[in-house]
């Protein structure tokens, strides 16, 4: 399971067994025996070749279709392990992949160009792994691959931005835009707990559930001290978790709300069972919550149907977080400034490593995103007086997360014939 996190090789790995046939020993005592023997060898060789090729085609369709059919390049031609998250950003003028102003599901706050950003260089970057390539986005193939499926995102506003990104990517291949709609007629807002967009022509939905902590957030117990206004029940997954079960693709994220200001600063503390844990650190509480999540996954999820992903923590680029000073650069960073890791991401990796029942793919986007100080919303949002160096412009970095996600899905499901 942890192998899935290091690259695509685990997702599409094969156990190839050499096909060998014993050569019959024949006593060549006469000419006719020799002739028949040669004929037998030729026929046997032909059948051996057909059988071997047939087995190859039978075993490998997902690999060849997922990476050759979905994009333009061979993903792992060298057969060496490819860590798709170890690479660099390269200029590619074929980006961006959509126009946020033409996508009704891209909220205005993330549409940097629509909000007045003049430079466009931040739109032209593609992620290039060191030893392979991410297959290029093919909207027709993606729509067909998702036909009849249910894709669910669970998490905070970063998850919502990735959800919006995927919808906008997919809508570029839909002729009748009215055939794509929010199932309850809702507009995208920051507080709504459920949003579901249906692609009716392809019979699939892409859904978002707002669950910023993944575990239950309740009012404080009566016996608690006055400073405790609410608690996170670290041993109970969110009360809407039953809605996530019957999905084909289920992607989680959490981390942005696990900070003192959004917890202790609002009177929110931790609880396990009936016991308040006033002295518990945020790091320890996060680990307990992720362990609760992992137990739920291994108990409630059918791995024969649902593919589970957990996307790691998304870095921000504040010049001064206390004063909310945001300095968006014009180019990506050449090297990561500060730590390229996140304690939250490390915790997720550690917990997933110990899961034994349901495979989980961790999308390790922390380091690659840490280089993109140029791609944040900054002052180009729907509230120009409030800078934002946490969220990302759309189009932008979340599109690359989705390209990686779709590549994994093609490896799982295979490439449909159009």
């Amino acid at each position: 399971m942890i192998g899935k996190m290091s690259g695509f090789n685990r997702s599409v790995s094969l156990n190839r067994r050499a096909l060998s046939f014993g050569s019959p020993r024949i006593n060549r005592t006469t000419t006719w025996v020799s002739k028949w023997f040669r004929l037998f060898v030729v026929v046997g060789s032909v059948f051996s070749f057909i059988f071997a090729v047939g087995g190859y085609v039978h075993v490998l369709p997902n690999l060849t279709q997922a990476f050759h059919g979905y994009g333009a390049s061979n993903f792992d031609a060298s057969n060496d392990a490819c860590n798709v998250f170890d690479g660099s950003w390269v200029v590619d003028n074929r980006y961006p992949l959509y126009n946020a102003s033409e996508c009704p599901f891209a909220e205005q706050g993330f549409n940097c160009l629509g909000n007045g950003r003049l430079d466009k260089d931040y739109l032209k970057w593609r992620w290039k792994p060191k030893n392979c390539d991410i297959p290029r986005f093919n909207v027709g193939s993606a729509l067909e691959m998702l036909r009849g499926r249910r894709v669910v995102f669970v998490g905070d506003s970063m998850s919502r931005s990735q959800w919006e990104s995927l919808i906008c990517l997919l809508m570029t291949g839909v002729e009748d835009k009215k055939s794509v709609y929010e199932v309850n007629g809702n507009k995208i807002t920051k507080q709504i707990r459920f949003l579901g967009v249906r692609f009716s022509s392809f019979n699939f939905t892409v859904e978002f559930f707002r669950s910023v902590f993944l575990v239950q957030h309740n009012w404080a117990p009566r016996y608690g001290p006055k400073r405790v206004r609410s608690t996170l029940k670290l041993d109970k997954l969110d009360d809407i978790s039953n809605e996530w079960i019957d999905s084909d693709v289920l992607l989680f994220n959490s981390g942005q709300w696990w900070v003192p200001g959004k917890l202790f600063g609002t009177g929110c503390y931790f609880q396990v069972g009936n016991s308040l844990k006033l002295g518990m650190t945020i790091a320890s509480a996060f680990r307990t919550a992720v362990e609760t999540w992992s137990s739920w996954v291994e108990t409630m999820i059918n791995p024969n149907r649902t593919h589970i992903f957990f996307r790691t923590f998304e870095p921000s680029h504040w010049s001064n977080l206390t004063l909310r000073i945001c300095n968006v650069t014009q180019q990506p960073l050449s090297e990561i400034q500060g730590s390229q890791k996140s304690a939250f991401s490390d915790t997720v990796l550690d917990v997933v490593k110990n899961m034994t029942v349901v495979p989980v793919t961790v999308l390790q986007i922390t380091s690659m995103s840490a280089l993109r100080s140029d791609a944040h919303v900054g002052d180009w949002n729907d509230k120009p007086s409030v800078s934002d160096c946490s969220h990302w412009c759309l189009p932008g970095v979340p599109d690359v997360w989705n390209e990686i996600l779709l590549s994994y899905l093609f490896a799982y499901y295979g490439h449909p014939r159009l």
Side-chain angles (χ1 to χ4, degrees):
M1 282 166 284
I2 194 69
K4 281 193 171 187
M5 299 176 292
S6 62
F8 280 67
N9 55 300
R10 170 69 181 268
S11 300
V12 293
S13 63
L14 314 167
N15 289 324
R16 300 183 184 177
R17 295 183 179 178
L19 298 177
S20 61
F21 297 88
S23 299
R25 297 177 181 269
I26 300 178
N27 185 11
R28 303 181 186 180
T29 57
T30 63
T31 304
W32 66 268
V33 172
S34 178
K35 291 180 179 179
W36 279 107
F37 174 77
R38 288 194 295 270
L39 179 61
F40 177 82
V41 170
V42 171
V43 173
S45 299
V46 171
F47 275 102
S48 298
F49 176 80
I50 294 173
F51 182 79
V53 172
Y56 182 86
V57 173
H58 176 74
V59 172
L60 288 182
N62 285 354
L63 176 64
T64 56
Q65 291 170 356
F67 294 134
H68 290 283
Y70 178 54
S73 60
N74 185 358
F75 187 81
D76 189 12
S78 66
N79 288 327
D80 293 329
C82 172
N83 182 356
V84 71
F85 304 106
D86 181 18
S88 60
W89 293 93
V90 297
V91 174
D92 191 328
N93 288 320
R94 289 172 288 188
Y95 284 74
L97 299 174
Y98 60 87
N99 184 340
S101 296
E102 298 175 356
C103 178
F105 299 100
E107 60 187 280
Q108 188 62 32
F110 299 151
N111 183 2
C112 296
L113 283 183
N115 292 327
R117 183 167 183 173
L118 298 179
D119 70 291
K120 298 181 180 180
D121 290 347
Y122 74 96
L123 296 169
K124 302 295 184 179
W125 295 92
R126 171 174 61 88
W127 179 251
K128 173 66 176 70
K130 286 183 178 179
N131 299 319
C132 52
D133 282 307
I134 299 171
R136 193 165 297 280
F137 177 66
N138 182 312
V139 66
S141 297
L143 288 166
E144 286 297 333
M145 183 264 291
L146 293 175
R147 184 183 290 275
R149 305 190 192 279
R150 182 181 178 223
V151 180
V152 174
F153 290 81
V154 179
D156 53 29
S157 57
M158 297 295 180
S159 182
R160 190 178 73 248
S161 67
Q162 186 178 2
W163 171 79
E164 294 175 24
S165 161
L166 181 60
I167 294 170
C168 292
L169 286 167
L170 295 171
M171 282 196 71
T172 61
V174 177
E175 293 184 6
D176 181 9
K177 306 301 183 184
K178 293 182 179 180
S179 69
V180 182
Y181 55 88
E182 205 285 322
V183 294
N184 294 317
N186 291 321
K187 294 183 178 180
I188 298 175
T189 66
K190 296 180 179 180
Q191 299 301 322
I192 195 167
R193 294 216 71 186
F194 170 74
L195 291 163
V197 170
R198 178 171 175 77
F199 287 72
S200 58
S201 299
F202 296 88
N203 189 32
F204 70 82
T205 58
V206 184
E207 305 171 20
F208 167 70
F209 288 87
R210 185 176 184 270
S211 180
V212 298
F213 299 110
L214 301 182
V215 293
Q216 290 184 16
H217 186 197
N218 295 327
W219 294 111
R222 295 180 180 178
Y223 57 82
K226 290 184 178 180
R227 74 175 187 270
V228 180
R229 299 178 182 178
S230 64
T231 63
L232 292 184
K233 291 189 173 182
L234 302 176
D235 56 340
K236 301 287 185 182
L237 210 63
D238 199 320
D239 53 11
I240 59 173
S241 58
N242 284 339
E243 301 294 329
W244 313 335
I245 296 174
D246 294 324
S247 55
D248 298 286
V249 180
L250 184 52
L251 188 146
F252 295 90
N253 92 294
S254 188
Q256 292 290 334
W257 283 65
W258 292 85
V259 293
K262 293 184 177 181
L263 289 169
F264 309 142
T266 64
C268 180
Y269 291 83
F270 308 124
Q271 180 178 347
V272 177
N274 293 324
S275 300
L276 284 175
K277 303 294 183 180
L278 299 180
M280 180 178 279
T281 65
I282 291 177
S284 178
F286 182 78
R287 174 175 288 275
T288 303
V290 175
E291 288 172 346
T292 297
W293 164 84
S294 69
S295 177
W296 178 88
V297 167
E298 301 223 284
T299 302
M300 302 300 295
I301 295 299
N302 176 7
N304 293 322
R305 174 180 178 178
T306 306
H307 296 293
I308 304 288
F309 295 85
F310 202 115
R311 181 171 50 73
T312 60
F313 188 74
E314 317 82 358
S316 58
H317 294 87
W318 294 96
S319 299
N320 188 313
L321 179 58
T322 303
L323 299 177
R324 307 292 291 181
I325 298 176
C326 179
N327 182 25
V328 178
T329 61
Q330 287 195 334
Q331 299 290 323
L333 298 174
S334 58
E335 60 183 17
I336 296 172
Q337 298 177 353
S339 175
Q340 65 177 357
K341 294 185 177 181
S342 160
F344 295 136
S345 300
D346 292 342
T347 296
V348 170
L349 290 166
D350 193 45
V351 171
V352 168
K353 178 178 63 177
N354 293 313
M355 296 174 68
T356 59
V357 178
V358 179
V360 175
T361 301
V362 176
L363 301 180
Q364 300 183 66
I365 57 84
T366 304
S367 295
M368 62 185 290
S369 303
L371 295 167
R372 295 304 307 275
S373 58
D374 61 317
H376 287 291
V377 169
D379 297 328
W380 301 284
N381 55 49
D382 51 352
K383 296 180 180 179
S385 60
V386 181
S387 293
D388 186 351
C389 253
S390 293
H391 294 93
W392 307 90
C393 296
L394 291 181
V397 172
D399 304 331
V400 178
W401 302 343
N402 281 322
E403 287 187 274
I404 295 173
L405 171 65
L406 289 169
S407 297
Y408 273 107
L409 295 180
F410 272 98
Y412 294 143
Y413 295 127
H415 184 81
R417 295 182 179 180
L418 300 179

